[in-house]
Amino acid sequence: MDYTKTVVITGASRGIGKATVEVFARQGYNVLINFNKSEKDAIALYESLKEKEFSVKLFKTDISKRTEVNAMIKFCVNEFGTIDVLVNNAGICQEKLFIDITDEDWDRMININLKSVFFCTQEVLKYMIPQKKGKIINISSIWGMVGASCEVHYSTAKAGVIGLTKALAKELGPSNIQVNCIAPGIIQTDMLSSYNQEQLNMLRENTPLMRLGSPIDIAMCTFFLASQHADFITGQIISPNGGFVI
Ligand code: NAP
């Protein structure tokens, strides 16, 4: 395979990030797989792709830490020569009444779900701006669009990702860098582990397409936004959600 394009995918050990890694690797990208805590899962993913001779590298980084992000992006450029696509996917969620959210909860949520996007994007732009080419895809959430009760800090961070996407798309357009956002609906990953079967059934019944999303639904959308077919799309929020939010 002719590996000429490179993608960095954050939070790629599990869920949506993992499916995204698999799609880009199969399509011939060099893929930098970022993980933080789930080392075993990340190594298993890396080894399964290496076995098939895909071009992948693994890097442990807490993306809420500037120095670690800087080291990851430098590693990627050293290994693959360039960065064409950044997928800001890593994230956490937490359900709590607004009045119970502590300062620590708030800072952790904003740092991992929003400040990390600032860090990762600034670090890759050091390479994308001089090459006058690049695609940045930020993973927000429907809750960043419409707000979720008992997830105010999560909704705030994800709304911030939408604002960042729109503003940065305007700033980077002249540099031929597209910045877009995906706002997934309810996707079956570990992030839903706090829901019981009854709650999942209710969510399914309230989805016009009568099913929950799977990580591949989001991965394919991300792949499209990274492709040449999306060269005239920037500053947009695309929401694969089965019709849950229209
Ligand atoms: P997930 O299965 O819980 O996976 C979360 C990923 O984020 C893991 O790979 C985790 O890596 C990584 N991560 C968390 N903190 C990190 C940190 N400090 N540094 C680096 N990586 C970190 O969740 P998911 O459903 O795939 O979520 C992916 C994205 O989609 C998130 O931004 C989420 O908010 C968004 N989203 C999900 C849904 C949904 O219904 N699932 C809906 C809308 C939006 P480690 O385990 O290695 O730490």
Side-chain angles (χ1 to χ4, degrees):
M1 220 176 292
D2 176 24
Y3 293 106
T4 52
K5 284 196 170 179
T6 299
V7 60
V8 174
I9 303 172
T10 69
S13 50
R14 301 181 282 117
I16 292 169
K18 177 183 176 191
T20 309
V21 165
E22 289 171 336
V23 167
F24 278 84
R26 279 198 211 104
Q27 294 299 323
Y29 274 73
N30 302 307
V31 184
L32 185 83
I33 304 169
N34 158 249
F35 71 100
N36 187 31
K37 290 186 182 153
S38 303
E39 187 161 3
K40 270 192 191 156
D41 292 316
I43 290 174
L45 173 65
Y46 170 80
E47 283 178 350
S48 74
L49 293 168
K50 265 318 234 192
E51 216 169 78
K52 294 176 188 129
E53 298 188 352
F54 292 130
S55 175
V56 289
K57 300 274 175 196
L58 200 55
F59 204 90
K60 175 175 161 48
T61 309
D62 177 346
I63 47 134
S64 65
K65 304 219 165 91
R66 166 73 83 173
T67 49
E68 294 189 25
V69 170
N70 176 280
M72 174 175 75
I73 300 305
K74 275 193 181 145
F75 171 81
C76 180
V77 173
N78 281 342
E79 293 293 322
F80 293 132
T82 179
I83 298 178
D84 302 280
V85 181
L86 167 67
V87 184
N88 284 309
N89 165 75
I92 54 164
C93 68
Q94 183 185 41
E95 265 186 76
K96 256 191 174 183
L97 283 176
F98 180 66
I99 53 164
D100 292 337
I101 293 173
T102 63
D103 293 1
E104 290 71 31
D105 291 334
W106 183 268
D107 287 346
R108 186 161 177 268
M109 185 63 71
I110 301 299
N111 287 344
I112 295 178
N113 285 10
L114 179 59
K115 200 169 186 186
S116 68
V117 179
F118 164 60
F119 287 158
C120 293
T121 306
Q122 260 195 350
E123 293 298 329
V124 302
L125 286 177
K126 290 178 184 167
Y127 303 94
M128 285 183 180
I129 291 174
Q131 77 195 12
K132 273 207 156 248
K133 202 172 187 297
K135 302 224 164 149
I136 294 163
I137 298 145
N138 299 323
I139 308 300
S140 174
S141 164
I142 47 169
W143 306 127
M145 297 164 71
V146 301
S149 165
C150 297
E151 289 187 74
V152 172
H153 51 350
Y154 181 79
S155 303
T156 303
K158 292 299 188 181
V161 170
I162 290 174
L164 183 154
T165 300
K166 291 182 178 181
L168 192 60
K170 290 182 179 175
E171 191 170 317
L172 292 178
S175 298
N176 191 34
I177 296 167
Q178 291 85 355
V179 188
N180 287 296
C181 178
I182 296 178
I186 317 293
I187 310 299
Q188 283 182 297
T189 69
D190 296 343
M191 206 168 259
L192 302 192
S193 58
S194 65
Y195 292 118
N196 61 35
Q197 200 51 49
E198 199 184 325
Q199 290 169 313
L200 291 175
N201 287 343
M202 212 174 69
L203 289 166
R204 195 175 289 114
E205 281 159 20
N206 284 304
T207 304
L209 287 178
M210 298 302 289
R211 69 170 176 91
L212 302 181
S214 68
I216 192 77
D217 291 316
I218 307 308
M220 293 312 292
C221 194
T222 302
F223 186 72
F224 164 70
L225 286 175
S227 76
Q228 64 191 32
H229 305 298
D231 278 353
F232 199 51
I233 301 177
T234 198
Q236 302 305 306
I237 317 305
I238 297 180
S239 185
N241 64 46
F244 190 79
V245 171
I246 293 180

